[in-house]
Amino acid sequence: MSKLPLEMPLDAFPGIAQKFSKYLKKLGIASVRDLLWHFPARYEDFSQVRRILDLEPGEQATIQGTVEEINLRRTWRKNFTIVEAIIADDSGNIRAVWFNQPYIAHTLRVGRTANFAGKVSVSHEGELYLSHPAHEIVNAQATEQNETRHTARLVPIYPETRGLTSKGLRFLIQPILKNVEELTEWIPQEVLEENDLPELNRAIEIIHFPSKIEDALTARKRFAFEDLFLLQLVNAENKSALAKEKAYAIKTDIEKLKTFISRLPFELTPSQKKSLWEMIKDLEGPDPMNRLFQGDVGSGKTVVAALAALIAADAGHQSAFMAPTEILARQHYHTLKNLLLRLDTPTEAALLTASGAKIIYKDGLEADISKQKLREAIKAGSVKIIIGTHALIASSGPSSNHATAGKKEPGTAFKNLALVIVDEQHRFGVKQRQALLRDPNQRTHPNDTNKNGSNSRHSDTFVDSHRVPHFLSMSATPIPRTLMLTIFGDLDISTITELPAGRKEIVTKVVLPEERKQTYQFIREEVNRGRQAFVICPRIEGSAKDEPATGSDFRKLELKSVKEEYEKLSKTIFPDLKVAMLHGQMKPKEKEKTMNDFAEGKIDILVSTSVVEVGVDIKNATIMMIEGSDRFGLAQLYQFRGRVGRGEHQSYCFLLSDSKGASTKERLQAILEAKNGFELAEKDLKIRGPGEFLGESQTGLPDVAMRGLQDLQLVKMSRDAAAKVFAKDPTLKKSVVLKKELEAFKRRTHFE
Ligand code: ADP
Ligand code: MG
């Protein structure tokens, strides 16, 4: 008999097509392959059949019994059904209950014998019953013989849909599995052996019909490993492709650097020095740096990155320094300006954002400049350090960050861009990062710019056609180790492990509604002492204006808005203090003025949306009050908190929330307890899962692999395996099947 091809559509089976195709479609199953790759969500253990008399409350158990009674009821609520059955064996009987599974009353008739596996629950009256047991009817004649033992085993329970149960799926999968063609193994034999993974054909079989739970687990491990392994191969390829590229070799003038550093208003921390040293080493060679620079909020990454840019400038090369928001770009510009003003011979630097441009000349004088003029200067190479938002360099695709959204800025042409610094890297997609680095030879010469408009990927950004820029990305949201080794696996890493000396731990407190008054009183006292406060709100507008509230989302209506809080605080609570507001609907100039006023102490209390989230650095601010704190992600809350405690004053973070949900508590608790960002990132990953943690733009990975991302050991395994394979055969010419699988994976996950 000829075997069933994997790609055969299920419609080709007349029996299946008529009966199930509608339901299969709902599950996204169209072919033999889809069906075989529809893995069980769990297994019921029918292998230990218990006597009804011996059942204990709370346990998960399997019994074999005969249906003595069964009936279907509808409750007063429409469409709500209960099936109740009495099951008996020779030791006694027990009730079984199913909600909203009326079909059970039709398959399980009085007199039938079946296995039932489920949880032993206790009713209000203290009576034991089985709730929602999985069941499998035992063939009546077979029972006489030894069929019981045969059916009493692990039974796969699948993700179901109404109309197609696990049992239905088993019925479909079993014969197809028996008759399918031999599957082509694509994981190299030695990888399977070294990592104790089952071969593909066996894995498919035992993931559906394991004889013991260990088998199911190894099969699962294999399938989770698959994508991680492919992902690691992609990393290895990227890394080696990048290694073939050439960057400018930038020698550091150590004596000059020492002078720069001695002019700083503080001593660099040991980690800052170490990180800087790692960068110096990277810049020195012609291999492009590809480094992630991570360190807790307030640990002082900016100054280190600025020093790297100064080193490049000193060697005659250009650097682009990009921030996710305009506010932040301006702040970095100020940091750099302050640094430059301390030098004897400042280098030419500029700020270029959607709303305008500024330049600092060699003599240290600052001037406004038209964007057009600045672009010309950048192209001519006279300006060495250019600070801006992401729009500065990325000309392609819609950007996910708010600073550039909706605005189409032309990209910038450079003369000799040697270093790209991206702040808060995790907010930008992996793809963007790769697009920035990949294939610099595709970047056209400036003369060709705009020939085809500015849509093609690199057409706007000129880089010497034989050089790629060194790349430094910074993140204050530390990336959990598993993700570091996978999604970010092709990066080198520098880490700041300590905060600058003298920082005090920020007192963090969840504020109950009845403590609000006290909290305002406290803020007033702090302001009287000369300190400043942030009040963060989840919304700008008070009503459903900017985000219409739907029935299910009525809570939005209760969310604090910047405008309302501003009214309340400035008019009723603190009429005598200087209160201002800041949000994304304001004009960039207004935002800048407000931010400057706050930085200069002209404002006591700043009511703001999340625009102050990342990086904003005001040493005199000691209070961060967050309204509707349950509406923000953990990493975001952590970032907010990092806005205070940046100077020598004791600082406070107040988390307000009207939600009493358990997960809200868990989240707020996590931030209360987190000692550092790393710990928090791990917790965040656990609570929210990698998809949300990274943002959807970050991965195109399927579920199994996403779960795999939480398994450090598996991640390490896949990394080692990929490294070995790649080292032996970098082009995979000896592993044709693997290569094919890798190409398919790239298409699937849009890595290309
Ligand atoms: P982040 O790492 O969060 O980006 P910043 O670079 O904004 O942190 O630095 C936070 C603050 O700490 C800034 O005001 C900066 O001037 C200051 N700072 C940086 N390094 C040191 C240091 N070694 N000692 C004291 N203060 C420092
Ligand atoms: Mg920062």
Side-chain angles (χ1 to χ4, degrees), residues 278-429:
E278 285 161 352
M279 290 167 208
I280 287 174
K281 284 282 146 206
D282 280 358
L283 293 176
E284 201 170 77
D287 294 335
M289 167 165 83
N290 192 17
R291 184 168 287 280
L292 177 72
F293 184 23
Q294 56 171 2
D296 230 326
V297 195
S299 60
K301 296 181 290 295
T302 320
V303 66
V304 177
L307 286 168
L310 277 179
I311 289 171
D314 192 48
H317 296 295
Q318 292 177 301
S319 301
F321 195 148
M322 296 182 292
T325 64
E326 218 173 299
I327 289 184
L328 212 55
R330 285 172 191 283
Q331 184 181 294
H332 287 338
Y333 173 75
H334 284 292
T335 303
L336 185 76
K337 186 169 111 185
N338 288 335
L339 194 55
L340 290 175
L341 292 181
R342 291 165 184 275
L343 306 179
D344 302 327
T345 47
T347 184
E348 239 165 70
L351 173 71
L352 177 59
T353 68
S355 60
K358 278 182 188 170
I359 189 162
I360 304 171
Y361 293 106
K362 278 212 174 79
D363 52 12
L365 290 180
E366 184 182 46
D368 283 330
I369 185 173
S370 79
K371 287 201 257 182
Q372 177 58 27
K373 275 250 166 61
L374 178 55
R375 285 219 168 82
E376 281 162 22
I378 295 171
K379 199 157 141 187
S382 63
V383 187
K384 298 293 186 236
I385 304 176
I386 302 97
I387 297 182
T389 59
H390 209 232
L392 191 61
I393 195 167
S395 55
S396 66
S399 168
S400 59
N401 66 82
H402 36 101
T404 54
K407 295 199 185 90
K408 186 81 189 102
E409 284 281 309
T412 310
F414 293 84
K415 176 152 184 276
N416 56 6
L417 181 61
L419 172 63
V420 170
I421 300 167
V422 182
D423 196 12
E424 299 306 331
Q425 163 70 31
H426 72 286
R427 306 182 108 223
F428 304 120

Side-chain angles (χ1 to χ4, degrees), residues 9 98 129 190 533 690:
W98 295 267
Y129 68 98
E190 64 271 20

Side-chain angles (χ1 to χ4, degrees), residues 51 101 121 171 258 309 391 474 483 557 627 661 688 702 723 728:
R51 296 190 332 147
Q101 288 175 282
S121 308
F171 166 80
K258 278 186 181 155
M474 307 201 275
L483 300 189
L557 287 172
E627 299 281 359
R688 293 197 296 166
K728 246 198 240 162

Side-chain angles (χ1 to χ4, degrees), residues 176 213 223 234 239 245 264 300 326 374 643 659 683 743:
I176 285 187
I213 200 72
F223 290 111
V234 176
K239 204 164 180 163
E245 304 287 359
L264 291 174
E326 218 173 299
L374 178 55
R643 295 309 106 230
S659 161
K683 282 185 189 164
E743 297 310 319

Side-chain angles (χ1 to χ4, degrees), residues 498-510:
E498 75 280 84
L499 292 179
R503 297 272 173 84
K504 298 192 177 74
E505 197 171 313
I506 298 161
V507 175
T508 307
K509 189 170 178 287
V510 173

